[in-house]
């Protein structure tokens, strides 16, 4: 397609029409100019292609497809290659079904465990979320099908999601909420970005020039098209000017007419419209010109769904090595989810699975008791049957978790508890059966009051249509658990950093915890949690040794290489997720205790040892400096922490960084003297004054003076004084302060 020529030949109406959907899922064609009609579909963990009369809330059926594990599960794999394969499979399905863009992945940060959509999101950590998204995007797009990374941005709750304003400071926005998008967009180059419903600091994401143009395109180099979330457009022309190219779904021609009118009356430059059309057409061409013959490989992809889930499930607890179970152990499977697993969430990502692999089917002949219903009412008959079966067995495996109604797109949870009838079942079974194992199916953390009553807990999350097969493989040791938590399980909801500010008052929600989301908060508060970020057990054991840094001192422009040895010291082949965190000891900015900056998942045979290598660049050390509007890694000492979870740091080494630029410093009459003293170019100038103030404060060499006010006290008082206070304490002449400020500013410029 000759996009430029087509745009030249399009009428104004055709161009405006190109900027909104034809219906729920299709873009408009312009047949006379050879622009084909293309389709987009949800995602992200399977193809939700709706035919006629499509709606986007999951009410109308979609074609039969394969439901892969949801993002809350796949993030726990920490496996870039696996996510790439997931993406490839989805890309092939899109080619088979003629879908040009699959909507996702969704990378919003899990700020609160209550967000109804957490099951679709990867993590509380932006680095992990972005890494997973990157692989997913590259996988899909390797099949010449586009992705739409979503929901851009700061859309972390469902409550009033279409109007509520997420209020936060610039560092929090950059370091946590935008960071989840940033490297995925820069490195994986998604064809499209979906802007979110909400407002950010008062402005709709769909109307934010800063977000959709300055940050996304000018800073990050995004060159695809931005589409709105379904119904996220408030003012169409403002949105178009801000960088929102495609409105979805159809607007019934209303907003197309607004665009036409705006061009006619001169309030919108036609070139802005042309640019949006160009971005959309380029991606239509990328799809249409690279069609591939593909088949929807149902069975192969079912197998892949099982494999991905097996690699993603997290063994949270395993007392006395009760797992893996012996094949011939006299076991009973208890709980409706053994028969009818909950394996996906509700809403726009809901897949019409062509088949389900339950645990009961995967373990034919095993005894079964239903135990509970999804109504959350105690059912004495079911309870009694389950308790009896547990008594008569050697081991009871309870399949429990959250029913559909507990978590979905569209609303948030109001608590973090499991249904009481399931808690009761687990307590009653554990009372009679010391060998009780719980297998969890949930999209988000839960409170686990019965933790110490059971021997093992296997977290399957919402594990896709083959979840039962994966669970049985893991329970019986056909596979070794290797997932680690992509989010913290707090003891109770009240411990969560957003607790006092979630979900806000409906108009605004204040992100008062700032950077301290998830483990960043629990770490800083030294707070006990149920299971820390990065936690996950295995049937084998690993040792870490010999951490080496390529250099002890680096420039902020250098790359640091970190190596270590990891060995499988147990008897079973297994995979370990080695996590690298960085701690900033320079004390130049408010920083979390440590932040995840790299990871590797390594497969090891029993007795095998491998060298792990990870690299770090400036960004791994940097914070976002709002004053400079850029990332900054301060000079000084940082620690490289390597561990098997955020709470289990096994090796550490320090590195010294030299910043290539001085830290930002605004010099005016309010600048604290302490900040000036830190700068080598300014310290000599300000030192004269420092001495004079010390004298003015009465510091002398006499013993009496030293006793009354120590040198340290004087020093502390002085460093906290703003420059202007020299006026009062040193009786400066008129104009002297201004001259000093100027001198300092010039000295800084020269340095
Ligand atoms: C959701 C998106 C989804 C879209 C289309 C919206 O309600 O927020 O994630 O892609 O609908 O179904």
């Amino acid at each position: 397609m000759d996009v430029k020529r087509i745009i030249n030949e399009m009428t104004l109406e055709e161009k405006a029409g190109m900027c909104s959907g034809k219906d729920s899922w299709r873009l408009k064609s312009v047949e006379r100019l050879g622009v084909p009609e293309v389709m987009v579909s949800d995602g992200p963990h399977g193809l939700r292609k709706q035919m006629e009369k499509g709606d986007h809330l999951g009410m109308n059926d979609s074609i039969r497809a394969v439901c892969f594990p949801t993002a809350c599960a796949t993030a726990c794999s920490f496996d870039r290659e696996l996510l790439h394969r997931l993406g490839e499979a989805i890309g092939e399905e899109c080619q088979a079904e003629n879908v040009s863009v699959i909507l996702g992945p969704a990378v919003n940060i899990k700020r609160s465990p209550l967000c109804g959509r957490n099951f679709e999101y990867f993590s509380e950590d932006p680095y992990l979320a972005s890494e997973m998204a990157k692989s997913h995007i590259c996988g899909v797009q390797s099949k010449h099908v586009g992705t739409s990374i979503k929901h851009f941005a700061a859309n972390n709750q469902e409550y009033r999601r279409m109007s509520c304003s997420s209020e936060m400071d610039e560092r929090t926005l950059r370091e946590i909420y935008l960071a989840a998008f940033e490297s995925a967009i820069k490195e994986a180059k998604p064809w499209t970005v979906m802007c979110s419903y909400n407002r950010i600091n008062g402005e709709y994401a769909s109307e934010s020039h800063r977000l959709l143009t300055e940050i996304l395109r000018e800073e990050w180099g995004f060159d695809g098209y931005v589409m709105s979330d379904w119904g996220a457009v408030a003012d169409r022309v403002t949105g178009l000017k801000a960088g929102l190219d495609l409105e979805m779904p159809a607007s019934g021609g209303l907003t197309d007419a607004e665009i036409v009118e705006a061009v006619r009356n001169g309030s919108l430059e036609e070139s802005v419209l042309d640019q949006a059309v160009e971005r959309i057409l380029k991606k239509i061409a990328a799809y249409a010109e690279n069609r591939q013959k593909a088949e929807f490989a149902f069975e192969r992809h079912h197998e892949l769904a099982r494999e991905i889930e097996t690699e993603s499930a997290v063994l949270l607890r395993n007392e006395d090595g009760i797992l893996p179970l012996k094949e011939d152990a006299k076991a009973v499977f208890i709980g409706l989810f053994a028969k009818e697993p909950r394996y996906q969430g509700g809403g726009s990502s809901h897949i019409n699975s062509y088949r389900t692999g339950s645990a009961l089917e995967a373990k034919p002949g095993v005894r079964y008791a239903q135990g509970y219903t999804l109504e959350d009412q105690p059912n004495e008959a079911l309870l009694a049957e389950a308790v009896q079966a547990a008594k008569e067995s050697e081991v009871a495996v309870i399949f429990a978790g959250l029913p559909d109604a507990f978590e979905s797109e569209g609303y948030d949870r109001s608590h973090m508890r499991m249904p009481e009838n399931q808690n009761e079942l687990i307590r009653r079974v554990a009372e009679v059966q010391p060998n009780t194992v719980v297998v969890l199916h949930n999209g988000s953390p839960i409170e686990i009051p019965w933790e110490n009553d059971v021997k093992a807990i296997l977290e399957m999350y919402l594990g896709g249509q083959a979840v039962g097969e994966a669970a049985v493989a893991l329970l019986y040791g056909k596979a070794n658990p290797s997932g680690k938590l992509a989010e913290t399980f707090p003891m109770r909801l009240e411990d969560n950093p957003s607790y006092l500010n979630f979900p806000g008052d409906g108009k605004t929600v204040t992100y008062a915890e700032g950077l301290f989301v998830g483990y960043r908060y629990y770490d800083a508060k030294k707070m006990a949690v149920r299971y820390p970020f990065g936690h996950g057990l295995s049937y084998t054991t690993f040792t870490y040794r010999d951490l080496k840094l390529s250099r002890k001192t680096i420039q902020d422009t250098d790359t640091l290489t970190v190596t270590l040895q990891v060995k499988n010291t147990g008897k079973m082949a297994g995979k370990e997720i080695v996590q690298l965190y960085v701690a900033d000891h320079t004390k130049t900015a408010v920083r979390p205790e440590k932040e995840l900056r790299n990871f590797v998942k390594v497969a090891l045979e029993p007795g095998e040892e491998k060298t792990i290598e990870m690299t770090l660049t400036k960004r791994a050390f940097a914070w976002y400096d709002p004053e400079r509007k850029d990332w900054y890694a301060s000079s000084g000492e940082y620690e490289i922490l390597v561990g098997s979870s955020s709470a289990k740091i096994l090796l550490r080494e320090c590195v010294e960084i030299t910043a290539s630029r001085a830290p930002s410093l605004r010099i005016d009459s309010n600048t604290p003297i302490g900040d000036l003293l830190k700068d080598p170019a300014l310290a000599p100038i300000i030192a004269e004054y420092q001495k004079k103030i010390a004298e003015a404060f009465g510091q002398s060499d006499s013993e009496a003076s030293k006793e009354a006010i120590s040198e340290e006290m004087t020093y502390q008082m002085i460093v906290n004084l703003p420059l202007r206070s020299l006026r009062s304490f040193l009786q400066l002449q008129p104009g002297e302060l201004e001259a000093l400020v100027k001198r300092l500013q010039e000295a800084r410029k020269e340095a």
Side-chain angles (χ1 to χ4, degrees):
M1 276 164 62
D2 182 347
V3 170
K4 289 265 192 239
R5 182 190 56 83
I6 293 173
I7 295 173
N8 271 336
E9 290 176 23
M10 281 171 110
T11 64
L12 180 59
E13 285 73 13
E14 280 168 341
K15 288 192 285 192
M18 212 58 235
C19 295
S20 69
K22 174 181 176 187
D23 54 27
S24 280
W25 305 113
R26 284 173 295 183
L27 276 62
K28 297 181 192 112
S29 60
V30 185
E31 270 168 38
R32 69 180 184 90
L33 297 173
V35 177
E37 177 183 290
V38 296
M39 182 169 194
V40 302
S41 270
D42 276 306
H45 49 264
L47 184 54
R48 180 179 167 73
K49 182 182 173 189
Q50 293 188 316
M51 306 306 285
E52 301 301 302
K53 299 201 202 90
D55 70 84
H56 71 284
L57 290 175
M59 284 166 316
N60 284 339
D61 247 358
S62 51
I63 60 158
R64 283 180 175 276
V66 175
C67 178
F68 291 95
T70 55
C72 62
T74 56
C76 299
S77 75
F78 281 69
D79 191 333
R80 299 177 178 94
E81 196 250 342
L82 196 68
L83 268 284
H84 197 277
R85 285 170 60 206
L86 167 65
E88 283 168 0
I90 293 175
E92 280 169 23
E93 294 177 359
C94 288
Q95 283 289 356
E97 284 295 333
N98 197 7
V99 169
S100 72
V101 171
I102 177 133
L103 308 175
V107 297
N108 299 88
I109 292 292
K110 299 181 202 237
R111 176 176 176 247
S112 163
L114 298 183
C115 172
R117 251 185 135 169
N118 276 1
F119 71 89
E120 261 186 85
Y121 300 150
F122 289 116
S123 180
E124 67 187 24
D125 180 84
Y127 177 75
L128 177 58
S130 215
E131 287 299 291
M132 296 291 98
K134 216 186 279 178
S135 296
H136 177 115
I137 293 167
C138 291
V140 173
Q141 295 191 172
S142 71
K143 302 291 172 187
H144 304 287
V145 169
T147 54
S148 192
I149 191 170
K150 63 189 188 182
H151 309 85
F152 191 59
N155 174 198
N156 310 91
Q157 65 187 49
E158 293 299 281
Y159 180 62
R160 298 283 161 85
R161 66 171 167 164
M162 296 185 80
S163 54
C164 191
S165 177
S166 305
E167 307 276 314
M168 72 192 81
D169 62 81
E170 186 65 11
R171 278 193 64 194
T172 302
L173 180 66
R174 293 285 189 156
E175 292 180 37
I176 304 288
Y177 296 96
L178 293 186
F181 291 87
E182 185 178 348
S183 67
I185 290 176
K186 281 180 172 167
E187 289 168 41
K189 305 208 171 301
W191 286 13
T192 84
V193 168
M194 186 190 291
C195 76
S196 58
Y197 287 128
N198 53 293
R199 291 179 291 150
I200 301 163
N201 294 332
E203 187 177 41
Y204 276 107
S206 63
E207 292 179 2
S208 171
H209 187 265
R210 178 160 181 255
L211 198 63
L212 303 184
T213 296
E214 288 157 47
I215 294 178
L216 187 60
R217 298 181 193 280
E218 293 166 11
E219 274 186 46
W220 298 353
F222 172 68
D223 66 356
Y225 67 85
V226 175
M227 73 170 90
S228 72
D229 198 345
W230 269 230
V233 168
D235 185 282
R236 183 63 189 106
V237 175
T238 309
L240 195 66
K241 287 182 188 164
L244 170 59
D245 307 302
L246 174 68
E247 171 181 12
M248 285 303 286
S251 72
L254 272 181
T255 51
D256 301 352
E258 284 170 15
I259 294 174
V260 169
E261 171 56 22
V263 172
R264 293 229 163 95
N265 71 24
S267 59
L268 174 70
E269 282 180 34
E270 193 162 356
S271 61
V272 173
L273 174 61
D274 288 356
Q275 193 178 40
V277 175
E278 182 177 334
R279 291 174 185 146
I280 297 168
L281 290 184
K282 276 189 175 158
K283 295 305 176 198
I284 293 180
Y287 176 71
E289 289 166 4
N290 294 286
R291 290 307 316 280
Q292 292 186 340
K293 255 204 154 23
E295 257 180 76
F296 204 123
F298 287 98
E299 277 307 308
R300 189 157 54 82
H301 290 179
H302 178 88
E303 285 307 305
L304 179 62
R306 183 183 47 70
E307 184 190 338
I308 294 173
E309 175 60 359
T310 311
E311 297 283 321
S312 303
V314 186
L315 182 60
L316 295 175
R317 174 181 172 86
N318 193 18
E319 292 301 292
D320 308 329
I322 185 172
L323 294 181
L325 301 175
K326 294 210 177 58
E327 204 56 57
D328 57 357
K330 200 171 162 201
V332 55
F333 283 9
I334 297 173
L336 190 62
F337 286 164
K339 195 169 167 210
E340 295 165 20
R342 175 154 180 261
Y343 58 88
Q344 64 171 327
S348 58
S349 68
H350 199 90
I351 302 296
N352 183 5
S353 303
Y354 88 99
R355 80 174 168 101
T356 315
S358 74
L360 270 192
E361 283 162 324
K363 188 75 186 157
V366 73
R367 186 168 178 185
Y368 169 68
Q370 183 182 320
Y372 59 84
T373 64
L374 298 179
E375 267 73 68
D376 196 9
Q377 296 294 328
N379 182 319
E380 279 307 324
L382 290 180
L383 270 172
E385 182 203 13
V387 168
Q388 189 57 31
K391 259 192 209 161
E392 292 166 9
S393 306
E394 289 165 9
V395 55
V397 185
I398 306 178
F399 292 77
L402 298 178
D404 272 322
F406 271 57
E407 49 183 353
S408 166
E409 177 179 344
Y411 56 91
D412 300 313
R413 285 190 293 172
S414 56
H415 62 77
M416 227 177 84
R417 296 186 297 276
M418 292 227 314
E420 203 30 54
N421 64 347
Q422 293 191 39
N423 282 333
E424 176 71 6
L425 170 75
I426 295 169
R427 272 194 295 266
R428 297 262 289 265
V429 167
E431 253 167 39
V432 302
Q433 178 49 266
N435 296 326
T436 296
V437 173
V438 176
V439 179
L440 288 173
H441 299 66
N442 46 309
S444 203
I446 47 169
E447 285 165 17
I448 309 185
W450 35 259
E451 186 198 19
N452 292 319
D453 302 339
V454 304
K455 286 256 167 83
I457 305 176
L458 180 61
E459 174 60 82
M460 304 302 292
Y461 276 108
L462 300 182
Q465 66 179 46
V467 65
E469 296 164 16
V472 167
L474 292 164
L475 287 169
Y476 287 89
K478 297 272 181 297
N480 192 348
S482 65
K484 302 224 184 189
L485 289 179
E487 63 189 321
T488 312
F489 273 49
M491 287 289 180
R492 41 182 208 142
L493 174 65
E494 291 81 351
D495 293 346
N496 180 263
S498 73
Y499 180 70
L500 295 176
N501 294 287
F502 185 94
D505 62 10
K507 294 191 187 77
T508 59
V509 49
T510 309
Y511 287 38
E513 69 286 356
L515 303 168
F516 295 90
V517 178
Y519 68 88
R520 288 166 168 77
Y521 176 82
Y522 301 114
D523 266 8
K525 298 275 286 195
K526 304 205 179 351
M527 196 182 264
V529 296
R530 182 70 70 193
Y531 297 113
F533 175 85
H535 165 79
L537 305 173
S538 163
Y539 297 151
T540 188
T541 46
F542 301 98
T543 54
Y544 292 42
R545 66 174 182 98
D546 226 5
L547 176 64
K548 287 202 185 102
L549 309 186
S550 53
R551 289 164 63 187
K552 290 276 183 199
T553 316
I554 56 165
Q555 282 284 321
D556 58 4
T557 42
D558 292 341
T559 298
L560 182 71
T561 306
V562 177
T563 55
L564 70 142
Q565 310 292 322
V566 179
K567 184 172 184 175
N568 181 346
T569 46
K571 293 195 176 63
M572 191 173 176
K575 288 182 182 167
E576 172 67 334
I577 296 163
V578 181
Q579 301 157 44
L580 189 164
Y581 298 85
V582 173
D584 177 349
H585 292 172
T586 66
K587 297 200 173 67
T588 32
V590 174
R591 302 293 300 264
E593 302 264 297
K594 63 175 183 292
E595 298 181 89
L596 183 75
R597 295 306 194 210
N598 212 330
F599 57 81
V600 164
K601 189 168 194 175
V602 56
L604 293 164
E605 292 299 319
E608 189 183 8
E609 185 167 46
K610 276 186 188 161
T611 304
I612 307 295
E613 185 177 301
M614 290 179 269
T615 54
L616 299 172
T617 55
K618 174 182 161 189
R619 189 56 187 269
F621 302 96
W623 50 284
Y624 187 82
D625 179 357
E627 203 135 307
R628 199 192 280 277
K629 298 192 171 45
D630 200 359
W631 296 86
Y632 188 73
S634 323
S635 290
E637 187 187 88
Y638 295 77
E639 206 172 7
I640 308 300
L641 310 168
V642 177
S644 59
S645 94
S646 66
K648 250 207 188 131
I649 299 304
L650 300 165
L651 302 170
R652 39 176 87 221
E653 269 299 329
C654 286
V655 60
E656 191 80 19
I657 295 200
T658 316
S660 37
R661 290 184 300 175
S664 62
L665 180 62
R666 176 198 289 268
I667 303 175
D668 58 25
S669 59
N670 289 312
T671 307
I673 289 177
D675 290 359
L676 300 166
L677 283 170
K678 274 191 215 151
D679 188 308
L682 309 179
I685 303 175
I686 208 68
E688 311 161 17
Y689 291 88
Q690 183 191 4
K691 200 155 157 258
K692 283 191 206 153
I693 312 177
E695 282 162 16
F697 281 176
Q699 197 181 72
S700 76
D701 286 340
S702 84
E703 281 311 309
S705 137
K706 278 186 184 161
E707 228 177 83
I709 174 161
S710 70
E711 273 178 38
E712 174 62 17
M713 284 157 74
T714 312
Y715 176 78
Q716 287 301 339
M717 276 196 282
I718 295 174
V719 292
N720 288 313
L721 293 177
L723 262 186
R724 70 179 142 72
S725 59
L726 296 182
R727 236 177 352 208
S728 333
F729 296 124
L730 298 183
Q731 272 84 50
L732 296 187
Q733 299 299 312
E736 206 179 330
L737 178 68
E738 292 70 17
L740 175 62
V741 168
K742 218 162 161 217
R743 199 175 144 206
L744 288 165
Q745 287 170 340
E746 267 154 25
R748 170 95 178 172
K749 250 187 250 153
E750 281 160 21

